[in-house]
Amino acid sequence: MALDTPAGLSPGVTAQASSRPAADTIGRTLHILLPITIFLGAFLLFLLEPLFAKLILPRFGGSAAVWATCLVFFQCALLLGYVYADLTTRRLTAAHQSILHISLLLLSLGLLPLAPHAILGSVATNHPAARILLVLTASIGLPFVLLSATSPLVQAWHSRANAGSEPYHLFALSNFASLLALLNFPFLIELRFSSHQQSLLWSALFVIFAAICTLAAWLSRSNAPAQAPIAVADVAEATAAPQPREKLLWLSLSACGSMLLLSITNHIMENVAPVPLLWVLPLALYLLTFTLAFHRRLLYPRWIVVRLLAVTLGGLGYAIYDPSFTESIQVSVPMFCGGLFLCCLFCHGELARRRPAPRHLTAFYLMIALGGALGAIFVGLLAPYLFAALYEFPLILCLTALLAAVLLWPEGWLPRVFWMGVTVAMAAVLAYNVHSYKKNTILTVRNFYGGLRVKQLHDWLKQPYRELYHGKIEHGAQFLNPPKSLQPTTYYGPDSGVGIALHYSSDVPKRVGVIGLGAGTLAAYGNSGDIFRFYEINPQIPAIARSSFSYLRDTPAKVEIVLGDARLSLTAEASQQFDLLAVDAFSGDAIPVHLLTREAFALYFRHLKPNGILAIHTSNTYLDLAPVVQLLANDAHYPLRLITNGDDLRKLIDASDWVLVTRNDRFLAHLDSTTTQDTITVPPNLRVWTDDYNNLFQILRPLRFGKAKSE
């Protein structure tokens, strides 16, 4: 039976009127659903970054460069997500875009639960960056791209559903959610959940996100205007399309911010506090500047920020000119992070001032993502092979000043002269940095694992000696002339814990394992018939130890060097039956926590003789590692002793802390009767570290002023 039509209204008008309540309902639902989708997507995206980087860190030797390589992947995947959002928004109808996005969301669920894939037993030490990128692509590539595309996609849906309304406040919401995720990871999630639990939690939240995003995509499809996809614009709007010069500025500002993020993070990790915990702080500040710049009300006071930028560049330049100015962590971390914040606020504030009409928002975000990816590739992949040291940091400060000069050029002749002067000053800082790094240096090399250099100096008696540095951390020293050239130095003197242990077992041929080669100093303790087996992850170190130092050449002991991550190498080997195994990998670079876990200690004990000695070098300016060793030894029911020695600069001896773990009662009795020992205080709530759980935040040393052991 046909329905009656009210008098005076056509059937089409009646149908249109009857559809209005449904459309209004969908509109109200989307008004709530779209911000939730953006918030949850951004939260998961930036929770995934530190979470997954920490999962794969042990597989690649715990190097600080793992995070830099991960940032390259994250920026490139973000770019791919923005390309996907731009192409599907411009080329597909709302219905086809919705179907495609929902299908990809369902496909991404097949990669859950979150776990590293495509990791083989051994890691190629010459090109680990390529392996890291492969692992990231195989494990989280599709979910990461879809999460990256969420913000521009949802903003496009918002513009389609709310004609004339600017969606850029949703970009600020996205960055706020990202910031919240980064702050929650070290201070809440990492403290309360193991790595496995973190993976399961993230996977569960991603399922929820996929369901919400699917609903939003479907309703947005239903709410699309019937006449045309948003790729069709009227003539007036098309004439307002951004010019190539404007797009180049978008690209430059985004790339500058990305390069600042990576270069300052690398500087902090190599020269200040090399702990993965500090991955989060620079990235959080970077995102905070996006949040402020793209707020509904532009929170970018240009007049003030430009003047603070000049002061900031001057301060950072002085910190490079005089590194002793930032020796203490209380000065260095706030200064470099504050500098990152102000420089990025300038870059992102200028981006926000130049944002186009909503019609061009996906192209705008595409250029931002492209700049971020290019900046990350330059610092994370190209710079280690282009520069012998971290020259990219002062170089990028110079580029920041130049970019400010270009942007402020229309302001008049006074800003032009001032900012060109700042640019010249930053170029002078770069030149001085290169000169000072090479002073007294006879060798400089750099690869994925960082910059290495050998310096030749003279002591108070004008005797020549050489030092090996990784960044600013000393990794070995040796006098050039006999008999002093045969003496162990730095952290391995006769009164050090490892020196005492090696002297104790010197009456019989001994088999010694050492994790971390450095200059090969421990070979000085070798006698005829001894075997010293070194495990070293950096392929450049053995060549330096053999060519620039003579410990490996002069020792009467047999020397064996195994390249690769020590734990992976030991796992693949039969029991070595070491009399002593020295673990010396914690004084600089990122802390390889996978060498300080319950599973790692079980592996060490498998390679030791029943009365063998495990010597752990715990000297570290920023981390108190002895309590971690204490809990691990207690867990394995092994006694231990903490041996500390002082400096003797005339002999090139440095203060060091060694924890000796053994069931050799005779040796322990010898220590108790002849050697002064220190006690270990275990912080409350510190748990035994395992492959599934560790937390560096709990063992940070109390802040204090004083110089780190450096040059």
Side-chain angles (χ1 to χ4, degrees):
M1 186 170 80
L3 294 175
D4 292 334
T5 301
L9 294 178
S10 67
V13 173
T14 305
Q16 186 178 17
S18 64
S19 67
R20 283 197 195 108
D24 290 343
T25 301
I26 292 176
R28 287 193 297 269
T29 304
L30 284 174
H31 185 72
I32 299 173
L33 206 59
L34 293 183
I36 293 176
T37 305
I38 277 193
F39 184 92
L40 186 56
F43 185 88
L44 287 174
L45 182 68
F46 281 85
L47 182 62
L48 179 59
E49 292 191 8
L51 191 160
F52 201 81
K54 187 176 178 181
L55 283 179
I56 67 171
L57 187 65
R59 312 294 183 97
F60 296 93
S63 170
V66 173
W67 175 244
T69 308
C70 287
L71 279 179
V72 173
F73 171 83
F74 298 149
Q75 293 282 24
C76 292
L78 185 71
L79 170 62
L80 186 58
Y82 280 23
V83 169
Y84 164 79
D86 181 61
L87 290 178
T88 56
T89 299
R90 290 191 297 107
R91 301 293 179 86
L92 300 180
T93 64
H96 289 158
Q97 184 189 54
S98 174
I99 292 172
L100 173 62
H101 198 65
I102 292 172
S103 300
L104 291 176
L105 284 169
L106 294 176
L107 183 62
S108 67
L109 297 178
L111 294 174
L112 302 180
L114 187 68
H117 302 300
I119 291 185
L120 304 179
S122 61
V123 176
T125 56
N126 289 320
H127 302 287
R131 180 66 64 83
I132 293 172
L133 295 175
L134 173 63
V135 171
L136 290 165
T137 302
S139 305
I140 61 172
L142 181 57
F144 198 96
V145 169
L146 293 176
L147 289 170
S148 299
T150 300
S151 180
L153 269 182
V154 171
Q155 290 180 64
W157 298 344
H158 176 276
S159 296
R160 187 165 57 204
N162 302 274
S165 173
E166 280 206 359
Y168 289 109
H169 65 282
L170 294 176
F171 187 55
L173 176 66
S174 171
N175 283 285
F176 173 73
S178 305
L179 176 64
L180 192 64
L182 288 173
L183 294 179
N184 268 280
F185 181 75
F187 300 116
L188 179 63
I189 295 173
E190 194 179 23
L191 287 175
R192 297 180 179 273
F193 301 102
S194 68
S195 297
H196 179 66
Q197 291 171 332
Q198 292 169 27
S199 299
L200 294 179
L201 174 63
W202 189 93
S203 301
L205 289 175
F206 184 79
V207 171
I208 296 172
F209 162 79
I212 294 174
C213 192
T214 296
L215 179 59
W218 187 260
L219 292 180
S220 177
R221 166 187 181 274
S222 304
N223 203 43
Q227 62 271 26
I230 68 172
V232 179
D234 56 38
V235 176
E237 202 172 7
T239 58
Q243 297 300 310
R245 179 181 180 278
E246 192 69 10
K247 292 183 177 180
L248 182 60
L249 283 177
W250 296 345
L251 184 73
S252 301
L253 287 165
S254 176
C256 185
S258 177
M259 289 189 291
L260 284 164
L261 169 64
L262 266 77
S263 61
I264 290 180
T265 300
N266 286 345
H267 188 82
I268 291 174
M269 302 231 0
E270 182 161 337
N271 293 323
V272 181
V275 295
L277 175 69
L278 289 182
W279 294 347
V280 169
L281 184 56
L283 185 55
L285 292 172
Y286 174 80
L287 292 174
L288 179 59
T289 61
F290 269 118
T291 304
L292 295 175
F294 285 86
H295 195 265
R296 278 186 185 269
R297 293 180 58 192
L298 184 63
L299 299 178
Y300 170 58
R302 194 186 196 215
W303 186 89
I304 298 175
V305 171
V306 166
R307 283 152 180 80
L308 290 177
L309 176 65
V311 176
T312 298
L313 290 175
L316 293 176
Y318 185 78
I320 295 172
Y321 170 78
D322 183 9
S324 64
F325 175 62
T326 55
E327 282 288 353
S328 66
I329 192 173
Q330 294 91 333
V331 174
S332 54
V333 172
M335 181 169 185
F336 290 120
C337 289
L340 173 67
F341 174 79
L342 281 167
C343 292
C344 286
L345 183 59
F346 168 75
C347 293
H348 301 153
E350 292 299 313
L351 269 175
R353 291 182 74 248
R354 288 165 169 76
R355 57 191 177 191
R359 158 73 180 86
H360 304 288
L361 70 87
T362 54
F364 177 60
Y365 291 142
L366 182 60
M367 295 304 291
I368 291 177
L370 178 60
L374 291 177
I377 289 172
F378 174 76
V379 177
L381 297 183
L382 298 181
Y385 298 96
L386 294 176
F387 308 129
L390 291 176
Y391 298 147
E392 60 268 25
F393 182 32
L395 174 63
I396 291 162
L397 294 183
C398 184
L399 294 177
T400 304
L402 181 60
L403 188 57
V406 171
L407 292 170
L408 298 171
W409 194 264
E411 302 295 322
W413 67 268
L414 186 58
R416 294 174 189 174
V417 172
F418 176 79
W419 280 102
M420 289 307 296
V422 174
T423 304
V424 171
M426 290 299 103
V429 168
L430 171 61
Y432 176 82
N433 181 249
V434 175
H435 171 75
S436 61
Y437 188 84
K438 292 182 177 180
K439 184 179 180 181
N440 299 321
T441 299
I442 62 173
L443 175 67
T444 59
V445 293
R446 185 180 176 187
N447 64 2
F448 174 84
Y449 299 100
L452 299 167
R453 57 178 166 155
V454 178
K455 300 182 68 173
Q456 185 158 314
L457 305 165
H458 294 82
D459 68 0
W460 62 292
L461 292 175
K462 306 301 181 181
Q463 294 295 311
Y465 66 94
R466 290 177 178 175
E467 294 178 325
L468 173 63
Y469 283 93
H470 184 168
K472 292 181 64 178
I473 305 298
E474 187 181 15
H475 280 256
Q478 184 182 24
F479 287 103
L480 293 184
N481 300 327
K484 284 189 173 182
S485 62
L486 304 176
Q487 298 174 359
T489 60
T490 60
Y491 311 107
Y492 319 103
D495 294 329
S496 67
V498 69
I500 293 171
L502 285 166
H503 272 304
Y504 176 81
S505 56
S506 62
D507 53 339
V508 294
K510 53 186 175 292
R511 186 172 180 83
V512 178
V514 184
I515 297 177
L517 174 60
T521 310
L522 283 178
Y525 289 97
N527 297 310
S528 180
D530 294 344
I531 297 176
F532 278 68
R533 187 174 178 86
F534 292 92
Y535 297 85
E536 176 56 51
I537 193 170
N538 189 338
Q540 291 181 337
I541 291 286
I544 293 174
R546 288 190 174 106
S547 62
S548 299
F549 300 89
S550 63
Y551 287 120
L552 299 184
R553 299 195 305 268
D554 293 342
T555 180
K558 179 182 178 182
V559 173
E560 301 172 345
I561 298 177
V562 180
L563 277 178
D565 177 71
R567 183 162 167 190
L568 294 177
S569 299
L570 288 169
T571 300
E573 295 176 349
S575 176
Q576 294 295 312
Q577 292 296 294
F578 291 125
D579 295 285
L580 181 140
L581 176 59
V583 183
D584 180 29
F586 308 115
S587 59
D589 197 20
I591 300 303
V593 295
H594 67 300
L595 299 180
L596 278 180
T597 66
R598 174 186 289 154
E599 294 81 359
F601 266 51
L603 180 65
Y604 301 153
F605 295 139
R606 179 170 74 83
H607 283 278
L608 281 172
K609 291 179 179 178
N611 284 328
I613 303 167
L614 176 62
I616 310 290
H617 187 196
T618 60
S619 302
N620 190 280
T621 306
Y622 306 103
L623 299 174
D624 187 10
L625 297 169
V628 177
V629 179
Q630 172 82 69
L631 291 183
L632 289 167
N634 293 346
D635 181 72
H637 306 293
Y638 271 74
L640 60 75
R641 301 291 189 270
L642 172 60
I643 309 299
T644 301
N645 68 282
D647 291 317
D648 188 344
L649 299 182
R650 292 189 175 187
K651 295 182 178 180
L652 303 184
I653 300 294
D654 299 319
S656 66
D657 301 329
W658 286 85
V659 179
L660 306 180
V661 184
T662 182
R663 287 176 176 166
N664 188 326
D665 293 331
R666 289 183 58 192
F667 176 65
L668 292 175
H670 171 74
L671 286 179
D672 294 340
S673 62
T674 62
T675 308
T676 302
Q677 304 169 21
D678 287 348
T679 58
I680 300 175
T681 302
V682 179
N685 303 320
L686 182 65
R687 293 162 50 186
V688 175
W689 284 8
T690 68
D691 286 350
D692 202 35
Y693 173 83
N694 59 77
N695 187 272
L696 293 168
F697 184 73
Q698 293 178 294
I699 59 168
L700 282 175
R701 292 188 185 275
L703 298 181
R704 63 182 186 273
F705 287 92
K707 289 190 176 183
K709 175 56 192 166
S710 61
E711 55 183 304

